[in-house]
Amino acid sequence: MAHTSQSLRRGAALLASTVAALGLLTACGNGGQGKSPESVSGTAAPATGNASSTDTSNTSAVPSGTGSPSASQTGGSATGGGSSTGGTTTSSAASTRCHTSELTASVGGNNPGAGQENFPIVLTNTSGRTCTVRGYPGAAFVNAAGTQLGPDPQRESGSTAATVTLKPGQSAWAGLTFSNPEISGAKTATPAALLVTPPDEKDSLKVTWKSGAVPVSGNASSVRLGVFSAGTGV
């Protein structure tokens, strides 16, 4: 009788071992997923590389020593004087620089030519003091939600930047140019506005864009900016 009980105990232990082994094989056969997947919280990455498209501080232009004014001289006076070191103007120039709060921005009419669309970006001194601008503007096309359309514009090379002195009410302009999308075949979008950042400033001015579609990607989609010159570009 004792021998029979001992045999039953060994049989029960063997059965338990077999059941455990079968359970392990079943788990392995299901890819090792012995429990429901854990929920991991997080945030989705932006759909494009322009994670902070409405922040134009990274496009705020500083004098680069390249580019030559080709503008009308009716709105202010431009001189080649002044110096820039390491991408920033001297303290004297900084003290006379026009700040965003002292300016209004506008975009002039298109002056097309040779497959190019050419617009003047105009800054007008609305303050009560004389101030200066020098170099390139920052610019970004945005949609109604404030999301940037297309990459940052590129700076035109080939001319020398000049310091433009603006008395109250006077203006300076910089060219904004891109290839006609109907000719280049670039993908287009129609902006709601153009954000314009004065040279060496971080705050931008919003100008309603009324000139239709602009290139945002694909062939010949680059938008280019020139340096500021005196006048309105007309």
Side-chain angles (χ1 to χ4, degrees), residues 2 25 38 94 150 176 186 189 213:
L25 288 173
E38 294 182 1
L176 181 149

Side-chain angles (χ1 to χ4, degrees), residues 91-208:
S91 59
S92 175
S95 66
T96 63
R97 186 178 80 238
C98 296
H99 300 294
T100 302
S101 60
E102 299 175 307
L103 300 166
T104 58
S106 61
V107 176
N110 186 16
N111 183 25
Q116 298 291 311
E117 310 300 318
N118 306 297
F119 298 88
I121 296 175
V122 181
L123 294 180
T124 301
N125 180 8
T126 56
S127 73
R129 73 179 184 107
T130 297
C131 59
T132 62
V133 294
R134 178 185 173 90
Y136 297 86
F141 288 111
V142 296
N143 62 18
T147 302
Q148 182 170 330
L149 302 174
D152 292 337
Q154 300 176 358
R155 294 176 176 181
E156 282 282 13
S157 60
S159 318
T160 301
T163 299
V164 183
T165 300
L166 300 179
K167 295 179 180 179
Q170 291 186 327
S171 302
W173 75 281
L176 181 149
T177 301
F178 54 83
S179 297
N180 185 317
E182 294 183 1
I183 297 175
S184 69
K187 181 179 178 181
T188 63
T190 300
L194 176 70
L195 299 182
V196 178
T197 309
D200 298 311
E201 292 290 296
K202 293 184 178 180
D203 296 328
S204 60
L205 299 163
K206 181 181 286 187
V207 182
T208 301

